[in-house]
Amino acid sequence: MAKGEKGPKGKKITLKVAKNCIKITFDGKKRLDLSKMGITTFPKCILRLNDVDELDLSRNLIRKIPDSISKFQNLRWLDLHSNYIDKLPESIGQMTSLLYLNISNNRLTSNGLPVELKQLKNIRTVNLGLNHLDSVPTTLGALKELHEVGLHDNLLNNIPVSISKLPKLKKLNIKRNPFPKPDESETFIDSIRRLENLYVVEEKDLCAACLRKCQNARDKLNRIKNMAMTTPRKTIFPNLISPNSMAKDSWEDWRIRSTSS
């Protein structure tokens, strides 16, 4: 953005608006849902609602998450996917009640993930897909309660052994990364015998536009695959990135595997 040029003006979130966005989940938890509201700046007023159990700020235009987010000490579910976030605050390590963290489809680099993530000892699901990670943070290996990990659509060329040693890991998605060898990701998955399927986000969490984008991306990949099969020279696409984090047909593949097992 050029100097002096103002970014897009987002919707102003007042305390009254935020209170009206609190919903009760099926299991009686309080969820503050501020998704798809065109928010450009983290609304400080919501810090007064820090007794909520779940916070959804996905599909906005947010670029920075403040240190003050750690005031949500009861938070068990945090969804920040589809924003413009390039780093997480160190204070996120203080949110030890977190069970679910989705920060896919942002602008995260490996340097943007603080070492304090290793303090999230209770976390079970982490989705870091569709970012700009060129290495897997070693902090993931310290999260022994992890059940599901999303690392798809990044710039990874290897997966550390510490991930394979996570004792409760059940679902992993490392698709569409530029691994040096085409079969490296499959070999890694085979080495984790307790993994029965690959994890992608649930279809219900995607808007109609995202589903269409993913379907178009899948069709494009299929055309590329068909072209590759007709030529003896192997084509490599090291920087191929899918436009959204969770492909509809990948979810269908996961669902079919799960129901048939």
Side-chain angles (χ1 to χ4, degrees), residues 72-194:
F72 288 91
Q73 283 297 299
N74 296 329
L75 212 63
R76 64 170 192 169
W77 192 93
L78 178 59
D79 195 344
L80 301 171
H81 88 262
S82 302
N83 279 285
Y84 296 101
I85 302 165
D86 58 7
K87 67 180 297 185
L88 291 176
E90 295 177 357
S91 63
I92 197 169
Q94 301 172 27
M95 302 172 69
T96 53
S97 295
L98 269 184
L99 300 177
Y100 173 96
L101 175 62
N102 186 356
I103 194 167
S104 63
N105 199 19
N106 276 280
R107 297 180 177 179
L108 282 175
T109 63
S110 298
N111 291 333
L113 296 176
V115 295
E116 286 76 9
L117 280 175
K118 66 181 180 181
Q119 298 172 21
L120 302 179
K121 299 299 185 181
N122 296 309
I123 198 143
R124 297 185 178 184
T125 299
V126 173
N127 193 343
L128 297 170
L130 263 169
N131 279 289
H132 306 294
L133 306 179
D134 56 12
S135 64
V136 178
T138 55
T139 49
L140 289 185
L143 304 177
K144 304 303 182 183
E145 294 298 317
L146 268 179
H147 286 61
E148 306 175 358
V149 178
L151 293 168
H152 54 92
D153 299 287
N154 275 289
L155 304 173
L156 304 175
N157 53 33
N158 67 80
I159 302 294
V161 177
S162 60
I163 302 299
S164 66
K165 292 184 177 180
L166 287 170
K168 298 184 180 180
L169 189 63
K170 295 181 179 179
K171 300 175 184 177
L172 177 68
N173 188 351
I174 54 174
K175 287 184 175 180
R176 295 180 296 277
N177 278 286
F179 295 109
K181 297 179 181 180
D183 60 345
E184 183 170 327
S185 60
E186 287 80 1
T187 302
F188 175 74
I189 293 171
D190 290 340
S191 69
I192 309 175
R193 299 188 181 279
R194 58 186 171 276

Side-chain angles (χ1 to χ4, degrees), residues 38-50:
I39 302 171
T40 57
T41 304
F42 184 91
K44 294 182 180 179
C45 67
I46 68 174
L47 296 175
R48 297 174 64 180
L49 303 174
N50 59 9

